[in-house]
Amino acid sequence: QDSPSSQLRVSVACFRWNGEAIETIVLPDGYLPSAPPDPCESLAVTAQRVVQSIFEASPAYVEQLYTFSYVSTSARETVVTYIALFAPDAAGSVNWQSLESIRTLPDRPAMVMNYATVRLRAKLEYTAIAFHLMPNAFTLAELQLAYESILGAQLDKRNFRRRMATSGMLEETADM
């Protein structure tokens, strides 16, 4: 029996906080940055290569997200996806876009972005992942704005501040 041809790709959903909104990268063709792995490299190294091909600096955080598999009568495509978080000043050879501005993606990258966004939101509940999106020094108000932008919802200021203050994740500075 003939089997469908098989293709493996590594795709990276990139996020950064610009001080007002969460932004991501979508290439002009509507897809996320991606590449096939070289025969002698791991998938994590491929993800780093994809990121380094468009950014001057390394991401603050990278994690394998999910493996998507698509099968048609003539081909099988496996896409191993990663999530990469960048500091606000991350510059590269592509334009950042707000999540709200990329509503019309092709089905496959839309599925990856939706999953990456859901995963990022979920990790806010039990990790300090949002800190990877922040500059070295920031105010509690800026951190709350980042959380609200990721979650797509307003948070109670008092409860948020209390939660952050008791988390042990913040370090007070002499600045306001």
Side-chain angles (χ1 to χ4, degrees):
Q1 269 186 343
D2 290 335
S3 61
S5 65
S6 184
Q7 181 183 14
L8 175 63
R9 296 191 66 72
V10 173
S11 183
V12 183
C14 301
F15 294 100
R16 82 168 178 180
W17 166 250
N18 71 5
E20 296 177 10
I22 293 296
E23 296 178 315
T24 191
I25 294 170
V26 177
L27 301 176
D29 64 1
Y31 286 82
L32 303 179
S34 66
D38 287 340
C40 296
E41 73 183 359
S42 70
L43 299 175
V45 169
T46 303
Q48 286 287 10
R49 180 170 49 85
V50 168
V51 168
Q52 288 174 346
S53 72
I54 55 177
F55 288 102
E56 298 162 4
S58 295
Y61 179 86
V62 178
E63 176 186 323
Q64 188 172 336
L65 183 64
Y66 193 77
T67 301
F68 293 89
S69 181
Y70 309 101
V71 180
S72 67
T73 56
S74 62
R76 171 189 305 275
E77 181 182 24
T78 303
V79 180
V80 179
T81 57
Y82 284 77
I83 187 170
L85 305 181
F86 292 87
D89 60 350
S93 60
V94 293
N95 293 325
W96 289 95
Q97 303 169 43
S98 70
L99 283 178
E100 292 78 32
S101 69
I102 58 163
R103 298 273 184 223
T104 57
L105 293 177
D107 288 344
R108 291 179 184 177
M111 190 181 328
V112 172
M113 282 306 300
N114 288 339
Y115 188 78
T117 303
V118 166
R119 190 78 180 113
L120 181 59
R121 286 177 180 153
K123 287 182 83 72
L124 286 179
E125 295 297 320
Y126 62 93
T127 70
I129 197 165
F131 292 91
H132 296 291
L133 296 164
M134 303 303 292
N136 287 334
F138 54 85
T139 66
L140 279 173
E142 290 169 332
L143 182 61
Q144 183 172 344
L145 283 173
Y147 267 77
E148 290 174 344
S149 180
I150 294 167
L151 295 171
Q154 295 279 328
L155 299 173
D156 180 75
K157 183 177 180 178
R158 291 170 297 177
N159 288 339
F160 180 81
R161 286 176 178 269
R162 183 174 32 253
R163 179 177 164 206
M164 289 297 119
T166 61
S167 71
M169 296 183 287
L170 298 175
E171 182 180 317
E172 191 171 338
T173 67
D175 298 333
M176 276 186 74

